[in-house]
PDB file of all heavy atoms in Angstrom:
ATOM      1  N   SER A  82     -16.751 -21.060 -10.106  1.00 37.00           N
ATOM      2  CA  SER A  82     -17.485 -20.049 -10.982  1.00 37.00           C
ATOM      3  C   SER A  82     -16.810 -18.712 -11.010  1.00 37.00           C
ATOM      4  O   SER A  82     -17.291 -17.783 -11.598  1.00 37.00           O
ATOM      5  CB  SER A  82     -18.946 -19.978 -10.430  1.00 37.00           C
ATOM      6  OG  SER A  82     -18.916 -19.483  -9.131  1.00 37.00           O
ATOM      7  N   ALA A  83     -15.590 -18.506 -10.269  1.00 40.00           N
ATOM      8  CA  ALA A  83     -15.147 -17.218 -10.198  1.00 40.00           C
ATOM      9  C   ALA A  83     -13.677 -17.084 -10.618  1.00 40.00           C
ATOM     10  O   ALA A  83     -12.867 -18.004 -10.046  1.00 40.00           O
ATOM     11  CB  ALA A  83     -15.272 -16.614  -8.832  1.00 40.00           C
ATOM     12  N   PRO A  84     -13.202 -16.221 -11.395  1.00 43.00           N
ATOM     13  CA  PRO A  84     -14.104 -15.364 -12.201  1.00 43.00           C
ATOM     14  C   PRO A  84     -14.757 -16.247 -13.312  1.00 43.00           C
ATOM     15  O   PRO A  84     -14.151 -17.070 -13.840  1.00 43.00           O
ATOM     16  CB  PRO A  84     -13.123 -14.271 -12.696  1.00 43.00           C
ATOM     17  CG  PRO A  84     -11.837 -14.909 -12.723  1.00 43.00           C
ATOM     18  CD  PRO A  84     -11.780 -15.957 -11.668  1.00 43.00           C
ATOM     19  N   PRO A  85     -16.007 -15.900 -13.617  1.00 38.00           N
ATOM     20  CA  PRO A  85     -16.652 -16.630 -14.628  1.00 38.00           C
ATOM     21  C   PRO A  85     -15.877 -16.542 -15.992  1.00 38.00           C
ATOM     22  O   PRO A  85     -15.273 -15.513 -16.244  1.00 38.00           O
ATOM     23  CB  PRO A  85     -18.052 -15.961 -14.716  1.00 38.00           C
ATOM     24  CG  PRO A  85     -18.170 -15.099 -13.541  1.00 38.00           C
ATOM     25  CD  PRO A  85     -16.791 -14.802 -13.028  1.00 38.00           C
ATOM     26  N   GLY A  86     -15.883 -17.670 -16.636  1.00 41.00           N
ATOM     27  CA  GLY A  86     -15.268 -17.686 -18.006  1.00 41.00           C
ATOM     28  C   GLY A  86     -15.757 -16.459 -18.873  1.00 41.00           C
ATOM     29  O   GLY A  86     -15.071 -16.026 -19.642  1.00 41.00           O
ATOM     30  N   ALA A  87     -17.038 -16.157 -18.627  1.00 43.00           N
ATOM     31  CA  ALA A  87     -17.541 -15.065 -19.488  1.00 43.00           C
ATOM     32  C   ALA A  87     -16.803 -13.697 -19.137  1.00 43.00           C
ATOM     33  O   ALA A  87     -16.599 -12.927 -20.040  1.00 43.00           O
ATOM     34  CB  ALA A  87     -19.093 -14.868 -19.099  1.00 43.00           C
ATOM     35  N   LEU A  88     -16.438 -13.494 -17.896  1.00 45.00           N
ATOM     36  CA  LEU A  88     -15.604 -12.316 -17.609  1.00 45.00           C
ATOM     37  C   LEU A  88     -14.378 -12.263 -18.314  1.00 45.00           C
ATOM     38  O   LEU A  88     -13.946 -11.311 -18.989  1.00 45.00           O
ATOM     39  CB  LEU A  88     -15.385 -12.271 -16.110  1.00 45.00           C
ATOM     40  CG  LEU A  88     -14.343 -11.206 -15.480  1.00 45.00           C
ATOM     41  CD1 LEU A  88     -14.852  -9.869 -15.926  1.00 45.00           C
ATOM     42  CD2 LEU A  88     -14.132 -11.372 -14.172  1.00 45.00           C
ATOM     43  N   ALA A  89     -13.608 -13.492 -18.351  1.00 43.00           N
ATOM     44  CA  ALA A  89     -12.375 -13.485 -19.059  1.00 43.00           C
ATOM     45  C   ALA A  89     -12.582 -13.390 -20.577  1.00 43.00           C
ATOM     46  O   ALA A  89     -11.830 -12.606 -21.139  1.00 43.00           O
ATOM     47  CB  ALA A  89     -11.715 -14.930 -18.742  1.00 43.00           C
ATOM     48  N   GLU A  90     -13.571 -13.992 -21.038  1.00 43.00           N
ATOM     49  CA  GLU A  90     -13.836 -13.912 -22.475  1.00 43.00           C
ATOM     50  C   GLU A  90     -14.175 -12.397 -22.809  1.00 43.00           C
ATOM     51  O   GLU A  90     -13.776 -11.905 -23.825  1.00 43.00           O
ATOM     52  CB  GLU A  90     -14.945 -14.785 -22.871  1.00 43.00           C
ATOM     53  CG  GLU A  90     -15.058 -15.099 -24.311  1.00 43.00           C
ATOM     54  CD  GLU A  90     -13.691 -15.641 -24.871  1.00 43.00           C
ATOM     55  OE1 GLU A  90     -13.193 -16.451 -24.243  1.00 43.00           O
ATOM     56  OE2 GLU A  90     -13.396 -15.190 -25.959  1.00 43.00           O
ATOM     57  N   GLU A  91     -15.004 -11.774 -21.972  1.00 43.00           N
ATOM     58  CA  GLU A  91     -15.405 -10.420 -22.203  1.00 43.00           C
ATOM     59  C   GLU A  91     -14.100  -9.369 -22.194  1.00 43.00           C
ATOM     60  O   GLU A  91     -14.036  -8.599 -23.064  1.00 43.00           O
ATOM     61  CB  GLU A  91     -16.346  -9.940 -21.138  1.00 43.00           C
ATOM     62  CG  GLU A  91     -16.918  -8.545 -21.137  1.00 43.00           C
ATOM     63  CD  GLU A  91     -17.727  -8.186 -20.081  1.00 43.00           C
ATOM     64  OE1 GLU A  91     -18.563  -8.945 -19.682  1.00 43.00           O
ATOM     65  OE2 GLU A  91     -17.534  -7.056 -19.393  1.00 43.00           O
ATOM     66  N   LEU A  92     -13.242  -9.672 -21.264  1.00 41.00           N
ATOM     67  CA  LEU A  92     -11.911  -8.900 -21.278  1.00 41.00           C
ATOM     68  C   LEU A  92     -11.218  -9.160 -22.443  1.00 41.00           C
ATOM     69  O   LEU A  92     -10.617  -8.205 -23.087  1.00 41.00           O
ATOM     70  CB  LEU A  92     -11.211  -9.220 -20.006  1.00 41.00           C
ATOM     71  CG  LEU A  92     -11.804  -8.628 -18.644  1.00 41.00           C
ATOM     72  CD1 LEU A  92     -11.057  -9.169 -17.427  1.00 41.00           C
ATOM     73  CD2 LEU A  92     -11.712  -7.105 -18.735  1.00 41.00           C
ATOM     74  N   HIS A  93     -11.115 -10.354 -22.986  1.00 42.00           N
ATOM     75  CA  HIS A  93     -10.261 -10.664 -24.064  1.00 42.00           C
ATOM     76  C   HIS A  93     -10.865 -10.044 -25.247  1.00 42.00           C
ATOM     77  O   HIS A  93     -10.074  -9.410 -26.140  1.00 42.00           O
ATOM     78  CB  HIS A  93     -10.151 -12.254 -24.288  1.00 42.00           C
ATOM     79  CG  HIS A  93      -9.463 -12.901 -23.351  1.00 42.00           C
ATOM     80  ND1 HIS A  93      -8.126 -13.115 -23.319  1.00 42.00           N
ATOM     81  CD2 HIS A  93      -9.903 -13.525 -22.186  1.00 42.00           C
ATOM     82  CE1 HIS A  93      -7.767 -13.838 -22.176  1.00 42.00           C
ATOM     83  NE2 HIS A  93      -8.775 -14.074 -21.503  1.00 42.00           N
TER      84      HIS A  93
END
Side-chain angles (χ1 to χ4, degrees):
S82 62
L88 168 63
E90 200 54 43
E91 179 182 318
L92 285 172
H93 293 274

